[in-house]
Amino acid sequence: MREGTDRGEIGQSEIRSGGRVGVTYKYFGAPNGATAARVPLSMRPEELGGDELGMGGMFTRIKPETVSAMVLTGIEGIPLHRVPPLELVVLHPDYAVVKLPMTVVDPLRGIGEESVGAAAFIWSTVPDRGGPSDAFNVYQLLHEWQDFSHRLHEAGHQPYCLVWP
């Protein structure tokens, strides 16, 4: 699935026939795991009372594990090997839903600009498969997550991620 496309655009047959374009992630909030589990490919999370990351729902290539590590190592100073695992909510042949720990979004609500900037700089120095990320891009991403964190808290929701192969 290509970034920014609607879920319904890639059919089951394309996925099964090997027409994979990589893994795509869509982050959303839901009141509980049962609600998150009912977010099939043809429905949007807001139809079930959920909230989505970004305006109009944001598709991304950033793994939930990476987001967790970025927040917890960059803001909380937790060593990478102590980042808590994700919780599998649904495993379907065509998609999965995972729950991110609240420790990933909660720290973002109480920090200011300096902390976001420092976390972005710290994370930009951590090499990944494509090399270090640009600090400004990480800064923007953390701000989007900070806004998402506030909305989740206000709604009493938890963070989830819909994953397509």
Side-chain angles (χ1 to χ4, degrees), residues 1-3 5-8 10 21-24 59 61 164-165:
M1 181 168 294
R2 289 167 291 284
E3 192 169 323
T5 61
D6 185 47
R7 284 177 246 198
I10 292 183
V21 241
V23 177
T24 300
F59 294 91
R61 297 267 184 225
W164 292 275

Side-chain angles (χ1 to χ4, degrees), residues 2-86:
R2 289 167 291 284
E3 192 169 323
T5 61
D6 185 47
R7 284 177 246 198
E9 289 182 18
I10 292 183
Q12 312 294 345
S13 61
E14 184 176 345
I15 292 171
R16 287 194 187 109
S17 69
R20 296 179 183 211
V21 241
V23 177
T24 300
Y25 306 94
K26 185 171 184 119
Y27 296 93
F28 67 97
N32 53 50
T35 302
R38 292 193 320 262
V39 178
L41 292 174
S42 62
M43 293 184 87
R44 298 180 56 83
E46 71 270 9
E47 293 173 5
L48 297 172
D51 189 7
E52 293 178 297
L53 177 64
M55 296 302 293
M58 185 170 84
F59 294 91
T60 182
R61 297 267 184 225
I62 300 172
K63 296 181 195 177
E65 298 90 342
T66 302
V67 172
S68 295
M70 187 183 311
V71 170
L72 295 175
T73 60
I75 294 172
E76 293 290 288
I78 294 174
L80 211 46
H81 69 280
R82 304 214 28 110
V83 172
L86 304 173

Side-chain angles (χ1 to χ4, degrees), residues 141-163:
L141 175 70
L142 286 173
H143 261 292
E144 289 171 1
W145 270 89
Q146 191 174 37
D147 293 341
F148 186 51
S149 175
H150 285 288
R151 290 194 317 270
L152 288 176
H153 180 72
E154 290 167 8
H157 290 171
Q158 300 169 26
Y160 294 91
C161 183
L162 187 56
V163 181

Side-chain angles (χ1 to χ4, degrees), residues 106-122:
D106 285 346
L108 290 167
R109 286 198 325 272
I111 64 171
E113 285 297 311
E114 290 101 21
S115 296
V116 173
F121 176 75
I122 289 167

